[in-house]
Amino acid sequence: MLIIKNRILRQALAAAGLLAFYTPSIYANDQGSETGAATISIIGSRAKARSLFDSDVPIDIFTAKDLERAGNTGELGQLLQNLSPSINMPKASASGTSDTIRTIQLRGLAPDEVLILVNGKRWHPNATMDQEGLFQGTVSVDLNALPVSAIERIEILRDGAGSQYGSDAVAGVINIVLKKASSGTDTYVSYGGNHTNFSPLNKTITDGQNFQVGVNTGLKIGDKGYVRFGFDYQDKNGTNRAGPSADSSYNGTPADEALVGKVLFKSGDPQLYNTNLFFNGALPLSDDVELYSFATYNQRRSLGIGFFRWPGDPGNVLAVYPNGFLPVSVNRSNDFGAVVGARGEVGEWNLDVSLRLGRNYFSYDLENTINSSLDGASPTRFHLANFISTQQGINIDVHRSFDGILPTPLNVAIGAESQRDAYRTEAGDPASYLAGSDTNGLPGAQGDPGLQPSDTVNLSRYNKSAYINVDSDLSKHLLLGVAARYSNIGDIGGKATGKVSFRYKFSPDFLVRGSISNSFRAPELAQVGFRNTVLGFNSAGQLSNVALVPATDPLAQGQGAQALKPESSVNETLGLAYRAPDGTYLTLDAYQIKLKDRIALSSPISINDPNYPTLNAVNFLTNGLDTTTKGIETVVQRDVALADSKLSLTAALNYNHNNLDSVRTGIGGTPLFNAKTLYDLMHATPKTKLVLSGDWQVNQWNINGRLTRYGTLSVMSYDPSSAPFEFDAAWTLDLEAKYTLNKTTSILVGANNLTDKYPTRTTNPNDSYSGAFPYNYVSPIGINGRYLYARLNHQF
């Protein structure tokens, strides 16, 4: 386990201990009728639901009220970053499809190394693979496809759980629980935007105007049945934090020189139109059995921006764009997920049988661009590709308690799952990828070339698994849990995982807990089969290609690639929990995650193959890395009773360190990854994150404040002669005031990043693109500055 050598970490832990705070913001239920320690979580153990305090693993719970107080951007990942010190969400910019698909990190690992559940059921990934963001090669769940206003609570299991939930639960599990109240209608309307002092231009900018509206209502069906349904709609303008382009004209033509020093690029959030629908319902069939179903649907259109093309750029046609052009990426996502099942008591067993379907359809277009190799005959709008993924599954889960086997009840859960995954890609318009007759131009749509017919894929596979989870309070002091699972993943093969956990109570208010387990993450079909070719002309004026190919392709295997296999991890945790007589609540957990065969995208590797005369380089996904992640998480909370009011305070800290243990090489020792890829993977996440928050309730007022400190992080410079660029530690302040007009209506105003904090400015011209990108998006505080908002809530 970790030894705390870091001076900043020691100081932060000491400060957290001195605060001795307690608040229900993480551990209270929606009604507030129970203390935080008594709140029941449905994740952690599949054999028996337990209170948070009694759990043998660290679990956080955030309620709908917590999400409302965490800011009103409409992005679920952003809200989770605001609430949890263990979660970060960097926002890619000018990065194709990565602008639209927002993902999160848990404990510093990749977005696809955390499992996302909805109402306890596995949720499907999106159809795109990150090729330009911070986590290239990853395929994860799109959190923007889930409606925030539909959420009753979110449970976060901060521990490896592959033996309980299967693939992807390496860093932990996030379970999103939908609202199920059978009566009442909740409505809201919100408006906000960024208002910031932008020093690179020495001006005040107001943009990112964000309009949101939503309604959800409940209906009673019979005596005990219900359905809850509703929608959210969001219309958000984009932001731009690009700086003046200093001396980055392409070739010094008069048209280029006339633009030097002007803001030509775009860096920030895309323009967004987002619609979410949901329902969640149940209908009793008898006193013991009920049918249930829930579904979400998301339709999203976003407009991102590529790199500016100068007038003299060979990617431009002067007759069409005499002043250059800025390509606009048009991303359309249609996402649907649904579950239908039956649950109840069958004899002495509790049975849950369910069918689920998930589908993501992603359409990728470009506007305001050109294929300059086609000269003036080129269109300026292109359809680049379609990506479609589907997931179908059937689950059978049963659990019960046995008496008489042990001195205390033995809780047993058994389950099995069969799942079919499918993935296919569809080609773009011919003009989006063709090479025309003008060899002075560049082939393919500028900004991102279209997918060629020869690169399309159509894949499917079946995954099957079975598990058993048992636990028992062997005495009034000791809880012991054991879990095991065997999974068979299509053409990849079998994988066995297991877990042993314990909790020992020295007293009713002080315990230690720990676990050791192994987990895995199977590669998604997009990672197994995706291919794409980018065309260009080499220095000799000849057409050349850089191809992203599957690891099974002969071109990749000629460089040392092998068929992808699951990532595997060994997780160890050890922690304690304490409740003081005055209500102080403290948890402290240390963890270590050793990841083997981690999947990463290789750098382009030059090739000279006479069978592929136009191919210049290839890259591919490979199990090329072994890493170790170590960390400490602590939460200290307390309620303070004041005259006619209540003050709830919390302090939460995460310390996280990634280490690169091993790096594979290709044939003949050829490096598969460049130094920047390896460095950024280990260091582009804050080493520490401290969240201090307070919630003051007095009469009709509710004042909520949150102070967050993001520790240092760093990225490798694009200039190989320069040292890595380090981001200084930064504090951000969020503040919100809510006034309750009556029992049904409330109004609130707030600010995220009230002090208008920006990351450390990028000074190296090679990293800032000669000033066009003054701030790097990898910093979790973002590059948009202050965000102000107001919201009106009304209940019927």
Side-chain angles (χ1 to χ4, degrees):
M1 285 299 174
L2 276 178
I3 298 175
I4 304 173
K5 297 180 179 180
N6 185 282
R7 177 178 58 85
I8 296 176
L9 173 62
R10 291 199 304 267
Q11 293 174 351
L13 282 172
L18 289 174
L19 287 171
F21 289 164
Y22 174 81
T23 184
S25 62
I26 296 180
Y27 292 95
N29 65 4
D30 289 336
Q31 292 76 29
S33 60
E34 300 179 7
T35 63
T39 304
I40 303 298
S41 170
I42 65 173
I43 61 172
S45 171
R46 305 197 73 154
K48 182 180 180 180
R50 297 180 181 275
S51 71
L52 294 182
F53 188 78
D54 285 334
S55 177
D56 49 359
V57 289
I59 299 171
D60 300 331
I61 292 184
F62 300 105
T63 69
K65 292 180 180 178
D66 298 322
L67 296 178
E68 180 184 271
R69 289 194 294 257
N72 281 263
T73 63
E75 292 196 82
L76 179 56
Q78 181 68 51
L79 301 183
L80 288 173
Q81 174 177 267
N82 290 344
L83 289 166
S84 172
S86 304
I87 290 177
N88 289 296
M89 190 190 78
K91 287 183 166 184
S93 176
S95 300
T97 62
S98 302
D99 285 359
T100 299
I101 306 300
R102 296 303 194 197
T103 58
I104 61 170
Q105 301 174 265
L106 179 63
R107 289 180 163 178
L109 297 183
D112 54 6
E113 289 161 344
V114 55
L115 174 63
I116 306 297
L117 309 176
V118 176
N119 283 355
K121 306 297 181 181
R122 174 183 291 271
W123 217 239
H124 58 280
N126 83 92
T128 67
M129 185 173 73
D130 186 351
Q131 296 184 69
E132 300 173 283
L134 184 59
F135 301 98
Q136 295 181 18
T138 60
V139 179
S140 53
V141 174
D142 180 9
L143 290 178
N144 276 353
L146 297 170
V148 175
S149 71
I151 299 174
E152 180 177 283
R153 69 180 186 276
I154 295 178
E155 304 174 338
I156 303 176
L157 168 62
R158 294 180 276 117
D159 193 26
S163 59
Q164 296 157 297
Y165 297 99
S167 178
D168 307 345
V170 173
V173 180
I174 297 178
N175 183 36
I176 298 167
V177 181
L178 302 179
K179 292 178 178 178
K180 58 183 180 182
S182 61
S183 63
T185 299
D186 299 329
T187 66
Y188 76 91
V189 59
S190 175
Y191 186 79
N194 296 99
H195 184 72
T196 181
N197 297 312
F198 189 59
S199 60
L201 297 179
N202 193 28
K203 64 184 294 187
T204 299
I205 295 177
T206 300
D207 60 5
Q209 292 83 358
N210 187 7
F211 172 76
Q212 300 174 75
V213 62
V215 178
N216 65 82
T217 189
L219 299 175
K220 191 173 183 180
I221 303 176
D223 292 333
K224 296 182 180 179
Y226 68 90
V227 62
R228 190 86 189 175
F229 59 94
F231 80 93
D232 288 339
Y233 174 73
Q234 180 181 26
D235 183 335
K236 183 180 183 297
N237 288 337
T239 61
N240 190 8
R241 300 297 176 267
S245 299
D247 55 356
S248 54
S249 62
Y250 188 82
N251 60 1
T253 66
D256 284 2
E257 293 298 325
L259 298 176
V260 170
K262 295 184 178 181
V263 177
L264 306 172
F265 290 75
K266 183 179 183 297
S267 179
D269 291 347
Q271 187 172 348
L272 180 69
Y273 306 93
N274 199 40
T275 301
N276 280 299
L277 305 173
F278 88 97
F279 80 84
N280 184 28
L283 178 65
L285 298 179
S286 67
D287 291 339
D288 299 321
V289 178
E290 70 174 7
L291 290 176
Y292 67 91
S293 182
F294 57 91
T296 66
Y297 173 75
N298 173 257
Q299 184 181 78
R300 180 165 66 257
R301 179 173 179 262
S302 66
L303 306 178
I305 300 294
F307 275 30
F308 177 75
R309 267 56 176 183
W310 293 81
D313 192 311
N316 185 35
V317 176
L318 277 171
V320 180
Y321 296 112
N323 297 313
F325 64 93
L326 193 64
V328 177
S329 61
V330 183
N331 298 325
R332 295 178 175 88
S333 177
N334 286 275
D335 190 277
F336 175 73
V339 173
V340 60
R343 59 192 170 208
E345 295 182 8
V346 179
E348 296 185 353
W349 290 90
N350 293 282
L351 173 68
D352 186 340
V353 180
S354 63
L355 298 170
R356 56 185 171 84
L357 169 67
R359 184 178 189 271
N360 182 252
Y361 180 95
F362 195 98
S363 175
Y364 188 24
D365 296 348
L366 269 182
E367 297 178 351
N368 195 50
T369 186
I370 203 164
N371 179 340
S372 61
S373 71
L374 299 176
D375 202 43
S378 171
T380 58
R381 301 177 64 179
F382 303 87
H383 175 60
L384 301 184
N386 295 323
F387 309 101
I388 305 101
S389 68
T390 60
Q391 189 176 96
Q392 301 164 317
I394 180 170
N395 291 75
I396 301 176
D397 302 286
V398 295
H399 70 273
R400 62 165 292 186
S401 294
F402 291 91
D403 295 321
I405 299 177
L406 296 173
T408 56
L410 178 66
N411 308 302
V412 179
I414 302 172
E417 176 181 28
S418 178
Q419 176 178 299
R420 181 183 185 273
D421 295 329
Y423 175 76
R424 76 176 192 271
T425 61
E426 297 174 344
D429 299 332
S432 71
Y433 55 80
L434 286 178
S437 59
D438 186 355
T439 57
N440 292 319
L442 296 178
Q446 289 302 294
D448 217 346
L451 189 68
Q452 302 180 38
S454 59
D455 288 332
T456 60
V457 297
N458 191 347
L459 306 172
S460 64
R461 73 176 177 213
Y462 284 91
N463 307 324
K464 299 178 181 179
S465 65
Y467 74 89
I468 182 170
N469 187 179
V470 299
D471 67 39
S472 180
D473 291 282
L474 299 180
S475 71
K476 66 178 183 179
H477 300 292
L478 179 63
L479 164 68
L480 184 65
V482 179
R485 176 183 286 263
Y486 181 79
S487 303
N488 187 276
I489 308 157
D491 57 347
I492 295 176
K495 191 72 176 178
T497 53
K499 183 173 185 175
V500 177
S501 58
F502 79 94
R503 180 221 66 212
Y504 188 86
K505 283 189 173 183
F506 291 95
S507 72
D509 296 313
F510 177 67
L511 61 84
V512 295
R513 60 195 182 194
S515 68
I516 182 169
S517 64
N518 68 317
S519 297
F520 72 98
R521 191 192 72 79
E524 295 290 342
L525 285 176
Q527 295 177 305
V528 172
F530 182 79
R531 60 172 65 238
N532 188 30
T533 303
V534 178
L535 299 95
F537 288 102
N538 60 25
S539 59
Q542 299 170 327
L543 185 67
S544 65
N545 300 300
V546 176
L548 170 59
V549 298
T552 53
D553 190 284
L555 285 170
Q557 298 202 333
Q559 306 302 316
Q562 298 180 359
L564 291 180
K565 56 186 176 181
E567 302 176 344
S568 59
S569 70
V570 175
N571 297 61
E572 299 170 87
T573 66
L574 183 64
L576 60 85
Y578 173 66
R579 291 181 297 197
D582 62 2
T584 300
Y585 186 85
L586 165 70
T587 64
L588 177 65
D589 294 279
Y591 58 88
Q592 176 175 276
I593 306 169
K594 294 188 73 68
L595 255 170
K596 186 178 180 182
D597 298 322
R598 191 165 177 174
I599 297 172
L601 183 64
S602 78
S603 304
I605 301 171
S606 298
I607 65 168
N608 184 15
D609 191 328
N611 296 315
Y612 302 91
T614 64
L615 193 59
N616 188 50
V618 297
N619 62 340
F620 46 86
L621 288 168
T622 180
N623 295 98
L625 307 174
D626 298 339
T627 64
T628 298
T629 298
K630 296 181 179 182
I632 293 177
E633 297 159 325
T634 184
V635 179
V636 189
Q637 305 175 315
R638 187 178 179 182
D639 276 348
V640 180
L642 303 174
D644 300 322
S645 67
K646 184 176 74 170
L647 179 63
S648 300
L649 302 166
T650 186
L653 172 72
N654 172 264
Y655 166 82
N656 198 80
H657 175 75
N658 293 312
N659 186 68
L660 190 60
D661 300 330
S662 177
V663 181
R664 317 282 192 273
T665 57
I667 298 296
T670 302
L672 295 177
F673 309 98
N674 61 37
K676 180 171 176 58
T677 296
L678 298 177
Y679 187 92
D680 292 357
L681 186 65
M682 294 295 101
H683 301 284
T685 301
K687 296 178 182 177
T688 60
K689 182 181 173 184
L690 175 65
V691 181
L692 304 173
S693 61
D695 186 75
W696 182 42
Q697 300 179 45
V698 54
N699 300 323
Q700 295 169 277
W701 285 96
N702 186 188
I703 310 297
N704 181 267
R706 180 175 52 256
L707 190 61
T708 304
R709 181 189 187 273
Y710 295 95
T712 58
L713 63 146
S714 57
V715 295
M716 180 70 74
S717 172
Y718 286 102
D719 182 355
S721 65
S722 299
F725 178 74
E726 183 164 305
F727 294 82
D728 297 332
W731 291 89
T732 62
L733 174 63
D734 304 330
L735 192 63
E736 180 181 281
K738 178 178 180 180
Y739 183 75
T740 303
L741 298 172
N742 50 51
K743 291 182 179 181
T744 61
T745 306
S746 62
I747 186 170
L748 59 87
V749 294
N752 291 347
N753 193 3
L754 179 63
T755 57
D756 204 20
K757 184 67 177 179
Y758 277 84
T760 305
R761 187 165 174 176
T762 305
T763 55
N764 190 320
N766 290 326
D767 291 328
S768 68
Y769 215 67
S770 297
F773 302 109
Y775 300 108
N776 192 315
Y777 66 79
V778 303
S779 174
I781 70 173
I783 62 173
N784 289 322
R786 182 191 299 112
Y787 179 79
L788 307 173
Y789 60 90
R791 173 170 168 145
L792 176 67
N793 300 321
H794 184 73
Q795 295 178 323
F796 295 95

